Every structure is written in structure tokens, then in C-alpha cells.
Amino acid sequence: MLWLIALLLVLQALFHWILEPVIRGVTPLFEFKLLPWLLALVGLWFLAGPTDSNKTR
């Protein structure tokens, strides 16, 4: 039983050590910190759309 507890503690420490950089990298994506920039880029894309230069009057 003591070996099982020790194994679980070691596994938890290893997973924390391995996954910590991944969690730090993905957190801004889930917190929508990039959302204003993405909306600004989409807005600029819509505003910079092609003009209808072949339109006949």
C-alpha cells in the first residue's frame, strides 16, 4: 500500500513537470486573451475587401 502511494505521488509529480509548459502555453487560448486581436484582424479583412471595379453604370 505504501508503494502504491509513493507511485501515485511520483506519477503526479512527473505529469505536473511534463504538462506545466503545455498548460501555460494553452491558457491564453482558453481565456480568450487573443479575442480582441482576432476580431480586429477580421474587421480589417472585411474593410479591406475588393472593390467592385467592373461595375457598369
Side-chain angles (χ1 to χ4, degrees):
M1 187 69 173
L2 192 57
W3 284 103
L4 181 62
I5 293 171
L7 181 65
L8 286 175
L9 288 175
V10 168
L11 284 175
Q12 282 184 341
L14 282 174
F15 280 130
H16 177 72
W17 181 66
I18 292 171
L19 293 178
E20 179 79 19
V22 175
I23 292 170
R24 286 185 186 217
V26 175
T27 298
L29 194 70
F30 288 117
E31 289 182 352
F32 297 113
K33 289 187 177 183
L34 298 175
L35 189 62
W37 291 104
L38 289 174
L39 289 175
L41 285 173
V42 169
L44 287 173
W45 180 46
F46 281 138
L47 289 175
T51 58
D52 195 10
S53 61
N54 293 331
K55 185 176 179 182
T56 58
R57 292 182 186 190

